[in-house]
Amino acid sequence: MYKMSVTVSPEDPLQNNFNRTETLQQLNNRYAEALLPLTVTFGFFTVFGIVGNLIIILVFSLSRDYKRNNFKVFVLTLGVIDIITCFTLIPAEMIKQRSYFAFGDEVSCKVKCFFNVFVSTASCLSLLVISVDRYRKVVQPFKKQLTPRLAVQILLIVGFVFPLFLAVPGTIMCGIKRENMTNIYGGFTEINLCETEDKYRDSIWRKIYKIVLIILLIGISCCYVVLYVFVMKEAIKQIKAISLLRKSSLYEVTYSSDVYDPNAINLDAVNTKRLLDIYRENTEEKDAFQKQSVTFENNSPSPKNTNRKKVSKQLSSKSLRSETPIIRTTRFPTKTLVWFVLTIVFIITYLTHLILALKVSEIVNMSPSEFSWFSFFFRIYFFNHMINPIVYAIFVKKFRESCRTLIPTLKARVRDICICQK
């Protein structure tokens, strides 16, 4: 009997791969390198979001151009939520990307999970309050409106307290999850992920919790769409009614008057049907004044006749001004447009996150480049928390002007504080 022996060359790649293993740190570094451009991008989001939202808070808090109204309350609320996100959640995500598959700190993991749920639900519910306020002001302007004081109280409960309680169950169930991942050599490496702990994976409470969050996000997104459809339709009707008023002879009379200011009208308070009714009433009233003016002209001297015409115009103007809400422009209302844009961005980014959340279990089979692209779109909602300064700068002229005078305003406030202390 002859014994057969097989000699394997040490340079055989198959044998080398069989003998070699990829450590957890090596695997993590390989994916962290692929995620580096995304980490840098999120770093830009952090800096821009902190600076931009800080400017928003300072401008709307210090500038005298912004009185205590709902718009100011809403802007400051979203600014606080966004700056919390930029200070906590986005930097935490950047840290996580450097050790995504080797996450070992359970406390940091739970803190990150808490802010994940808190900021998303806080933004979601705050935008719901804003959309309801827009609906009431544009579609139902003559019904009881949300006052700034009531808006603050509702936002504290809906936008901050309720999200705190909603984030607690997710924080409890979140932790370090251990799983095997195929490494570069075809073997398996045990990884540590910051996700739902194994003991809660099949829990009925986790399933209920996920269903509640999904219904909350999708349901409120549907409410956004429905409310803004009504707002847009009513705004278009109002713009057409205003255009009709501006083309009328009544508008020409009031425009030439020293009493009436045609650029001081607030579109939010206008109801289309009421606007047209007032237009007809004041047209009849203007015709009556014109008849009186003609009669007076035939029976009065020339100087007094001129005064009577002026008084006729002023009375007609005063009547219109006392009955008709002031209309700024025939363009689309700025505040409604601002909140509509921010709401659309929120819906798109968070629904993208929600859809990709169904694919989280597949990340262990993704290559570094696939995982990098997945992570970008999975966290695309971070864009929602740094876009506010851009939207305000584009649509709100007063905000742009206030930003230019922010430094002098801060210096004046500091100087006043120093004088008071002396």
Side-chain angles (χ1 to χ4, degrees), residues 87-241:
F87 263 118
T88 58
L89 184 58
I90 303 181
E93 180 64 24
M94 294 169 61
I95 295 172
K96 180 182 177 181
Q97 288 177 357
R98 304 312 299 165
S99 57
Y100 198 99
F101 297 100
F103 208 99
D105 189 353
E106 187 171 355
V107 175
S108 300
C109 178
K110 288 185 177 294
V111 171
K112 184 182 180 301
C113 292
F114 171 82
F115 282 106
N116 266 333
V117 179
F118 173 76
V119 298
S120 60
T121 52
S123 298
C124 181
L125 294 171
S126 297
L127 287 172
L128 178 62
V129 176
I130 293 172
S131 62
V132 171
D133 177 75
R134 288 291 90 197
Y135 177 82
R136 297 286 290 184
K137 276 187 168 57
V138 177
V139 183
Q140 300 175 335
F142 296 103
K143 292 188 177 181
K144 187 176 180 180
Q145 300 296 318
L146 191 66
T147 63
R149 183 176 180 180
L150 182 59
V152 172
Q153 294 173 349
I154 292 176
L155 286 169
L156 283 175
I157 297 173
V158 175
F160 289 93
V161 177
F162 183 69
L164 284 175
F165 287 102
L166 197 61
V168 170
T171 305
I172 295 173
M173 290 184 285
C174 191
I176 304 301
K177 174 185 174 183
R178 289 173 175 81
E179 192 170 342
N180 288 327
M181 182 174 181
T182 304
N183 57 43
I184 195 173
Y185 302 114
F188 294 99
T189 301
E190 187 179 69
I191 58 176
N192 302 326
L193 297 173
C194 177
E195 291 183 4
T196 303
E197 292 187 56
D198 290 330
K199 60 182 178 181
Y200 296 110
R201 180 181 296 183
D202 299 322
S203 172
I204 184 65
W205 297 109
R206 177 176 176 265
K207 294 178 182 178
I208 294 174
Y209 182 68
K210 288 183 67 176
I211 292 173
V212 169
L213 291 180
I214 292 173
I215 292 176
L216 184 67
L217 184 59
I218 296 179
I220 292 179
S221 296
C222 292
C223 290
Y224 294 151
V225 173
V226 172
L227 290 173
Y228 276 109
V229 165
F230 284 109
V231 169
M232 297 299 178
K233 289 176 64 177
E234 185 63 26
I236 292 172
K237 289 181 183 178
Q238 292 173 8
I239 290 172
K240 291 180 179 178

Side-chain angles (χ1 to χ4, degrees), residues 12 94 101 146 162 182 192 270 289 308 330 345 354 368 374 387 405 420:
D12 189 343
M94 294 169 61
F101 297 100
L146 191 66
F162 183 69
T182 304
N192 302 326
V270 180
F289 275 119
R308 171 62 68 177
T330 53
V345 172
L354 188 63
F374 174 85
I387 195 179
T405 60
C420 292

Side-chain angles (χ1 to χ4, degrees), residues 331-380:
R331 294 179 302 175
F332 204 83
T334 301
K335 295 177 183 177
T336 299
L337 188 59
V338 167
W339 298 133
F340 177 73
V341 170
L342 293 178
T343 303
I344 290 298
V345 172
F346 176 86
I347 293 174
I348 293 174
T349 56
Y350 271 95
L351 284 182
T352 302
H353 169 78
L354 188 63
I355 293 171
L356 291 180
L358 302 175
K359 302 289 185 179
V360 169
S361 59
E362 300 178 9
I363 62 175
V364 295
N365 300 318
M366 294 180 184
S367 65
S369 59
E370 291 173 341
F371 180 68
S372 180
W373 282 108
F374 174 85
S375 298
F376 172 75
F377 288 104
F378 187 60
R379 301 298 182 188
I380 192 66

Side-chain angles (χ1 to χ4, degrees), residues 379-399:
R379 301 298 182 188
I380 192 66
Y381 65 87
F382 287 160
F383 184 70
N384 181 68
H385 298 285
M386 50 81 68
I387 195 179
N388 292 28
I390 300 174
V391 174
Y392 299 151
I394 292 174
F395 295 107
V396 185
K397 181 180 179 180
K398 190 181 293 185
F399 176 74

Side-chain angles (χ1 to χ4, degrees), residues 398-422:
K398 190 181 293 185
F399 176 74
R400 297 195 299 269
E401 296 172 351
S402 299
C403 288
R404 297 190 190 102
T405 60
L406 179 59
I407 301 300
T409 302
L410 285 174
K411 290 181 179 179
R413 291 298 180 95
V414 172
R415 186 169 56 251
D416 293 342
I417 293 173
C418 294
I419 293 173
C420 292
Q421 289 179 348
K422 291 180 179 179

Side-chain angles (χ1 to χ4, degrees), residues 249-269:
S249 58
L250 173 62
Y251 180 80
E252 293 174 358
V253 173
T254 58
Y255 186 87
S256 62
S257 171
D258 295 331
V259 177
Y260 178 61
D261 179 10
N263 295 318
I265 299 183
N266 183 1
L267 184 61
D268 293 337

